[in-house]
Amino acid sequence: MSGIPSIVYGLFGSLFFVKYLGLGLSLLSGALTLSIMILPLIMRTTEEALRSVPDSYREGSFGLGVGKLRTVFSIVLPCAVPGILSGIILGIGRIVGESAALIFTAGTVAEIATSIFSSARTLSVHMYSISGEGLYIKQTYATAVVLLVVVILINGLSGFVAKKIGGKNTDG
């Protein structure tokens, strides 16, 4: 599912959330579509984080007589949390710049949303909309810089969180 283009997710969200469920062009439709879009990324990073926990941790826990469920929750998951959180934050970084899926689900209204059921425009959709007009090139570049800074900050936050949580697990 991770190889599916975002426009296909947008069409799916438009058909399912906007039309079938009757949510209309809204922030909720866009959020649900984007959550489905990043689900494969989060699942893959979570799986890799769980696999990266050494088997000796599990074996040691079982050797001390700890049950399987307690081993998972007190040994395996705390060791895998940095990788899981990094995957979640990187997924959020990916959807920050998403525009194709949001055009079909959240709309392109240039107003501040009053609720999760109202239509709105994200920065990436705003940049797409004003660049298509060809009149506001400086504003398009400014929006691109803001998006770039946001994505860099999110990626930096991912590394920071991984180091902080990873440091806590190795000390104790």
Side-chain angles (χ1 to χ4, degrees):
M1 277 180 58
S2 61
I4 298 174
S6 61
I7 192 85
V8 175
Y9 283 108
L11 291 172
F12 168 77
S14 176
L15 289 174
F16 186 70
F17 297 119
V18 175
K19 298 290 182 194
Y20 183 73
L21 294 181
L23 297 175
L25 291 176
S26 64
L27 289 175
L28 183 60
S29 297
L32 291 172
T33 302
L34 292 179
S35 64
I36 289 173
M37 194 171 102
I38 66 166
L39 192 60
L41 173 68
I42 292 173
M43 287 173 46
R44 187 173 52 244
T45 56
T46 300
E47 184 180 358
E48 288 301 318
L50 291 172
R51 284 187 180 166
S52 70
V53 176
D55 286 335
S56 60
Y57 287 13
R58 293 178 189 89
E59 293 167 359
S61 179
F62 293 143
L64 291 172
V66 178
K68 189 171 188 174
L69 189 62
R70 188 159 182 181
T71 298
V72 168
F73 283 108
S74 40
I75 304 296
V76 177
L77 277 180
C79 292
V81 165
I84 294 170
L85 284 179
S86 293
I88 290 170
I89 293 172
L90 289 174
I92 291 169
R94 177 179 177 208
I95 64 171
V96 164
E98 187 56 49
S99 62
L102 289 172
I103 289 173
F104 294 119
T105 57
T108 59
V109 175
E111 294 179 4
I112 296 176
T114 56
S115 73
I116 61 170
F117 297 106
S118 58
S119 183
R121 179 188 282 189
T122 62
L123 280 175
S124 57
V125 173
H126 176 71
M127 185 175 74
Y128 173 76
S129 296
I130 64 174
S131 69
E133 297 170 7
L135 301 173
Y136 306 104
I137 299 302
K138 290 182 181 179
Q139 288 85 349
T140 303
Y141 290 147
T143 306
V145 168
V146 170
L147 270 173
L148 184 64
V149 168
V150 167
V151 170
I152 289 171
L153 287 174
I154 288 173
N155 287 338
L157 177 68
S158 173
F160 177 74
V161 167
K163 285 180 186 175
K164 277 294 195 188
I165 293 177
K168 286 181 182 176
N169 285 337
T170 57
D171 293 339

